[in-house]
Amino acid sequence: VTVITLDTVSLDINFGGRRQSVLRHASYAVPVARMALIGESRSNVVALLDLFSRRLIPQSGQVRFGGRVSWPIGHTAPFSVAITGTQAVSHLATLYDFDRELALAFLRAEMDEPEQISRAIASWPRLRQTRFMMLLALIPQFDVYLVDGNLVMTEDIAFTRRFLQMFLTRTRGCTLLITARQVRLLRLMCTEAVVLRDGKLETMQDLEAALALSNRVPTVQTADFQRDDDLSDNDFMF
Amino acid sequence: MVIYSKSDLQAARQLFRDKQPIEALVEARDALRNNPDNADIAQFIQAVLANLNALMKRAQREADHAEVIRLGRWVMFAPAFSATAPAIVLSAMRETLSPAERGVVLREWSGSGPLPDVLWEEAGAVLAELPTDPTQVAAGFEILHHVPGNATALIALAGHLGALGRPSRPDDSQVAGLLQQLQGRWPGLENTPPDVVDRKTGYDTIRVELGTADLRHRMARSNFVAASDDLITLALSVEHAVARMEGLFQPIMDATVPAEDVWALADPNSVHYVMRNPAPLSPAAQQLLAAPHPGQWRNRHFARVRVILSLWLRAINFEASQDRIGYLWLVLDPLIHVLIICIVPFLLHADQVSDMNTFPFAIIGACFWMTFRAAATGALAGGGVLKSQLEHPAVRRFDIMVARGFSAIVVYFFVGLFLLFVNTFMGLSGFPVNLPLFLVCFMTMWILGMAYGIILHSLVLRYPGVRRINGFLIRAIAFTSGLFYVTEQLPDDVARLILWNPLVHVNQLARSYWFYEYNTRDGDPIYVIWWLLAMVVLALSCNVVDEHRPESVRA
């Protein structure tokens, strides 16, 4: 059973003003398993996540989805802190087609100060914001979970315990692709890896060998942030 | 009755501004004590605590242990920080203070509020290191009261009692009897761990029954000598029995209490693995996790519309959140824009333009033009603040562009509707001649704006300087769009040139469909349709091509 199938896919990204190849006529079928997602560089791994979450569309080839794919869990960008928690839940309920009232009941039960959910997320402490964003990932039911963040919060053991219990229950029988943000967790949760190397994807049964591969290749950490330039509505009248 | 004075809070705020957060906190707490329901003070206290927490973490990073202890002493009692602050403070204390000093400090702090369990545990651990005297014996009993079954504290306490010449070992027969009593309260111990609160209540009941409950209070008053040997022996026996009772729970507790090493929670081979002994979940969580799989995305086409509307609402909420009266500005801003534009036709034409009243004439022109411009700007920004939403697999690039442009049609439709209603009320204009066709013109203007924006956005991706060109281009379009005039008024040569602009056709057709007094001679619906088709096809083509362009990634 496969949930994401790549058929001779070529994917390029714009990196520092240059065109960089991530995949070259790559074919691969992502199986139903818990796998580490390891690449030659951080930008390539993020590009792959973006491909799976449909933010990027390949230049050639086809990506077929056999189920629902999550957003990259751990990315904060899709969540604006300017809106209230209730507004964020309503928005996600529309995007992912889940029961809004049940989701709110769930969040009220799990959050430390439930009444705060109707206030702007920006007014919450950082810890509560993080908890909220992690709990949101438990609400929609996906077939593929993309994880690019910390699932274990070393300073918040009680929450980590509750979250992991629910996350592992939720992801049972699903595909889990985890990037090497928390290598220790990767070792505990995954037994094999999807490795992106030389423009191709392959499965490596030996997780340690895959991790060693990621260590050997120098990681490109220079981020090339997307410009968020937005023209103001007040820039000119005519 | 104490009357709350605003000056208390102001004084606290001033102290906070003077970079004296602890003093500000004390002042604010005093003010809150006088007026416990005041939300402002409570909010201020939370802000100060957050600041202290941040300062404490900075001190921790800088290994300034004394500062961590000084600040943490205030932060750790706050519920918002009780999960992390005690561990940070404890770590700093271990770095700088001897066990005896730690014991003294913890004892002092216990008077400020309920100490976190982790600190009581520490107090028990340091008890053995403290000098033997009645005060420490009293402290030992207090620790056992808060952390029943703390074997380390019990052993240390027995050691102190022995050193003071009191019996250090409780009588076995007494212990056996007490254990029997304790066990009788929790049947089925081997299967289900009773709640720790229940156990504590049970221990306290036994202490009261046997008369040892207030021993620690008497000892705290340094009245140790007054306590009889028998009573101390009995108290020690009780605590020893409690410790043994807790020992029976230990295997269960090992698997249920949070692990000290958080990674063990995710380790399938660990006794602390979260799935080994899962904790009970809330009813909502159970319902959520047990829900059947929803299958593939449903109602794709209808869902697309809902996604766009939700994105639009999100953009609206975001924009409104930037200002205290943000929602009001969402309406006021376009309304003022339209009214300002309406001044120009009055300067040019006085009361009437080709038999049309100038005010409704100007409103139609301004609303149509602003719809075009706002739609174009939204699409040209490529989604703007909504770009980050592309990380949701359900959101397409086209959706966020339409959602951004959607504000234009909604806002200017209602602004125009309101102003035209005012016009009708003032008798300056009647009802429209053909409302459906008028609305078609309005929608056409919006689609043209969206298409223009999408095409320009595509060009901007190839050459960013197109933004500058757009600045000039859009002004040229504005002045040739029939915003302030109709082409029938102009000389033929000029009119022929201006009629290349499809917007002037749309504007004049719209005015024809609104006013009885005006019927356009130059406005050509066929010309508009051709433009519309060409622009839409070109915009959709640009969108398809752009989707496949190499994008930047957030590495």
Side-chain angles (χ1 to χ4, degrees):
Chain A
V1 180
T2 59
V3 278
I4 302 177
T5 311
L6 278 68
D7 190 6
T8 56
V9 168
S10 292
L11 177 71
D12 293 351
I13 57 170
N14 180 359
F15 193 80
R18 290 181 297 109
R19 191 173 175 133
Q20 178 179 306
S21 178
V22 177
L23 292 173
R24 283 191 295 276
H25 304 292
S27 295
Y28 185 74
V30 180
V32 178
R34 286 182 181 167
M35 303 177 89
L37 191 60
I38 290 169
E40 295 164 335
S41 68
R42 171 80 185 143
S43 58
N44 280 8
V45 171
V46 176
L48 204 56
L49 282 176
D50 283 347
L51 180 73
F52 290 156
S53 66
R54 307 192 204 193
R55 192 179 91 82
L56 295 183
I57 294 179
Q59 278 71 51
S60 68
Q62 200 179 7
V63 184
R64 285 193 296 276
F65 295 91
R68 294 174 162 217
V69 183
S70 78
W71 66 87
I73 296 164
H75 284 203
T76 53
F79 302 97
S80 167
V81 294
I83 57 176
T84 66
T86 316
Q87 286 169 343
V89 173
S90 302
H91 179 55
L92 286 192
T94 307
L95 294 191
Y96 295 105
D97 200 15
F98 58 75
D99 183 347
R100 175 183 176 273
E101 294 308 317
L102 179 60
L104 284 172
F106 166 70
L107 289 167
R108 286 195 187 104
E110 294 300 326
M111 287 178 69
D112 52 346
E113 288 185 45
E115 67 281 0
Q116 293 289 322
I117 202 167
S118 56
R119 297 198 174 168
I121 299 173
S123 67
W124 301 355
R126 186 79 187 161
L127 186 67
R128 193 180 301 145
Q129 291 180 7
T130 310
R131 285 178 173 186
F132 179 71
M133 286 169 196
M134 291 176 80
L135 287 171
L136 283 178
L138 296 172
I139 297 171
Q141 201 166 353
F142 297 113
D143 297 296
V144 182
Y145 285 82
L146 308 173
V147 180
D148 188 29
N150 297 345
L151 291 184
V152 170
M153 293 195 284
T154 51
E155 287 188 348
D156 195 358
I157 299 176
F159 176 76
T160 300
R161 179 184 169 74
R162 274 207 325 278
F163 174 76
L164 274 182
Q165 182 187 332
M166 290 187 281
F167 185 73
L168 292 173
T169 307
R170 181 53 115 186
T171 58
R172 197 176 287 151
C174 300
T175 297
L176 200 58
L177 293 173
I178 312 179
T179 61
R181 280 283 178 103
Q182 285 186 320
V183 174
R184 199 163 168 183
L185 182 71
L186 217 57
R187 288 198 171 101
L188 293 170
M189 293 184 76
C190 307
T191 51
E192 52 188 350
V194 184
V195 176
L196 171 58
R197 185 165 45 169
D198 300 328
K200 303 285 182 200
L201 284 169
E202 58 180 302
T203 304
M204 281 185 81
Q205 302 294 339
D206 187 347
L207 183 65
E208 290 304 322
L211 286 169
L213 181 79
S214 117
N215 291 337
R216 202 168 59 236
V217 180
T219 302
V220 181
Q221 292 291 2
T222 46
D224 183 22
F225 288 104
Q226 196 173 41
R227 288 172 57 193
D228 274 337
D229 42 5
D230 186 13
L231 286 183
S232 160
D233 280 350
N234 298 319
D235 54 350
F236 46 80
M237 190 179 287
F238 301 118
Chain B
M1 192 176 107
V2 181
I3 305 295
Y4 163 66
S5 160
K6 265 195 170 179
S7 62
D8 295 344
L9 183 56
Q10 282 168 354
R13 283 187 168 142
Q14 186 57 47
L15 285 166
F16 190 62
R17 279 194 289 271
D18 294 341
K19 300 197 185 305
Q20 298 178 53
I22 292 176
E23 289 76 4
L25 183 66
V26 173
E27 186 79 24
R29 279 186 174 170
D30 285 346
L32 189 67
R33 207 168 294 129
N34 292 339
N35 189 356
D37 297 328
N38 190 293
D40 286 346
I41 306 175
Q43 202 175 358
F44 176 72
I45 288 175
Q46 287 306 314
V48 176
L49 284 169
N51 177 261
L52 285 172
N53 188 47
L55 290 173
M56 181 186 72
K57 288 195 169 175
R58 191 169 70 186
Q60 185 197 16
R61 284 194 297 275
E62 293 168 357
D64 186 351
H65 303 303
E67 185 69 359
V68 170
I69 295 168
R70 191 178 78 84
L71 298 168
R73 181 239 182 288
W74 299 95
V75 175
M76 68 182 182
F77 291 109
F81 307 108
S82 60
T84 55
I88 294 172
V89 174
L90 189 55
S91 171
M93 288 174 79
R94 284 175 180 161
E95 290 287 338
T96 52
L97 302 180
S98 68
E101 289 168 331
R102 291 207 294 275
V104 170
V105 169
L106 291 175
R107 191 171 169 72
E108 184 192 330
W109 286 359
S110 67
S112 301
L115 272 188
D117 281 355
V118 66
L119 296 185
W120 279 119
E121 295 280 356
E122 177 68 6
V126 301
L127 188 63
E129 307 287 333
L130 298 179
T132 298
D133 63 37
T135 310
Q136 302 316 329
V137 172
F141 275 110
E142 191 162 353
I143 292 161
L144 287 174
H145 178 72
H146 284 92
V147 195
N150 187 322
T152 317
L154 183 63
I155 292 163
L157 185 58
H160 281 324
L161 283 168
L164 284 171
R166 304 293 172 186
S168 59
R169 302 283 304 172
D171 182 67
D172 280 350
S173 61
Q174 279 182 308
V175 171
L178 288 166
L179 200 59
Q180 198 67 34
Q181 289 184 40
L182 289 168
Q183 271 182 325
R185 288 165 194 269
W186 295 290
L189 167 69
E190 62 284 358
N191 296 326
T192 318
D195 192 275
V196 71
V197 177
D198 287 348
R199 294 208 303 278
K200 283 183 180 178
T201 310
Y203 300 147
D204 285 344
T205 307
I206 287 176
R207 286 184 186 110
V208 170
E209 284 173 5
L210 297 178
T212 64
D214 61 343
L215 187 64
R216 62 195 180 85
H217 295 301
R218 277 191 267 159
M219 288 183 162
R221 293 196 300 269
S222 299
N223 201 13
F224 177 72
V225 182
S228 71
D229 288 358
D230 288 346
L231 190 57
I232 292 172
T233 308
L234 185 59
L236 199 55
S237 298
V238 170
E239 301 307 332
H240 189 70
V242 167
R244 286 187 57 179
M245 191 68 198
E246 283 295 295
L248 295 173
F249 285 105
Q250 205 54 45
I252 304 170
M253 294 298 288
D254 281 346
T256 53
V257 296
E260 282 181 20
D261 180 2
V262 68
W263 299 101
L265 296 171
D267 183 358
N269 299 318
S270 166
V271 291
H272 296 299
Y273 182 51
V274 288
M275 302 308 279
R276 193 176 292 268
N277 287 292
L281 297 174
S282 66
Q286 285 176 23
Q287 199 182 339
L288 198 76
L289 296 176
H293 192 286
Q296 285 293 312
W297 306 109
R298 288 173 290 163
N299 301 324
R300 293 298 295 165
H301 298 296
F302 183 62
R304 184 98 279 121
V305 177
R306 288 175 56 205
V307 165
I308 290 170
L309 287 177
S310 184
L311 287 166
W312 170 64
L313 278 176
R314 193 184 171 287
I316 291 281
N317 289 329
F318 177 82
E319 282 173 25
S321 69
Q322 307 298 306
D323 194 295
R324 193 170 290 178
I325 51 166
Y327 286 103
L328 190 61
W329 278 118
L330 286 176
V331 182
L332 272 186
D333 189 46
L335 188 67
I336 294 168
H337 267 84
V338 168
L339 289 174
I340 290 172
I341 295 175
C342 286
I343 294 170
V344 180
F346 271 108
L347 298 175
L348 293 175
H349 307 292
D351 291 340
Q352 290 202 324
V353 188
S354 292
D355 299 331
M356 295 174 274
N357 275 323
T358 306
F359 192 41
F361 167 88
I363 290 168
I364 292 172
C367 286
F368 272 54
W369 164 247
M370 291 302 285
T371 303
F372 175 87
R373 192 192 70 84
T377 308
L380 177 57
V385 294
L386 292 176
K387 269 182 188 169
S388 58
Q389 292 298 299
L390 285 173
E391 292 209 40
H392 290 296
V395 177
R396 303 264 74 83
R397 184 175 304 275
F398 186 69
D399 300 339
I400 61 171
M401 286 172 131
V402 175
R404 286 288 286 163
F406 191 64
S407 291
I409 197 164
V410 173
V411 168
Y412 289 104
F413 175 78
F414 284 106
V415 166
L417 196 69
F418 169 73
L419 290 174
L420 289 170
F421 176 77
V422 170
N423 256 289
T424 309
F425 185 73
M426 291 165 66
L428 295 174
S429 160
F431 287 98
V433 176
N434 193 332
L435 185 62
L437 284 178
F438 178 81
L439 292 177
V440 168
C441 289
F442 186 64
M443 181 63 90
T444 303
M445 195 62 115
W446 180 73
I447 295 172
L448 282 171
M450 284 296 302
Y452 173 85
I454 292 172
I455 294 164
L456 260 284
H457 173 68
S458 182
L459 295 174
V460 166
L461 291 177
R462 284 155 182 81
Y463 173 57
V466 171
R467 279 182 194 281
R468 294 182 184 281
I469 299 170
N470 175 58
F472 305 112
L473 191 59
I474 207 153
R475 283 177 179 82
I477 295 172
F479 288 113
T480 58
S481 68
L483 180 55
F484 306 128
Y485 52 81
V486 288
T487 51
E488 287 85 356
Q489 295 176 301
L490 303 175
D492 283 352
D493 291 344
V494 180
R496 202 175 301 119
L497 199 64
I498 286 175
L499 281 168
W500 278 96
N501 185 346
L503 302 196
V504 76
H505 291 264
V506 181
N507 261 330
Q508 291 185 181
L509 286 168
R511 284 166 177 150
S512 282
Y513 298 135
W514 187 273
F515 293 102
Y516 286 93
E517 302 86 351
Y518 173 71
N519 196 5
T520 182
R521 189 186 64 218
D522 293 339
D524 183 358
I526 303 297
Y527 182 75
V528 174
I529 289 169
W530 277 115
W531 263 97
L532 190 67
L533 287 175
M535 292 280 280
V536 167
V537 169
L538 188 57
L540 291 177
S541 307
C542 286
N543 187 59
V544 170
V545 172
D546 291 342
E547 277 193 333
H548 292 270
R549 276 177 62 83
E551 284 273 342
S552 299
V553 296
R554 293 172 183 272

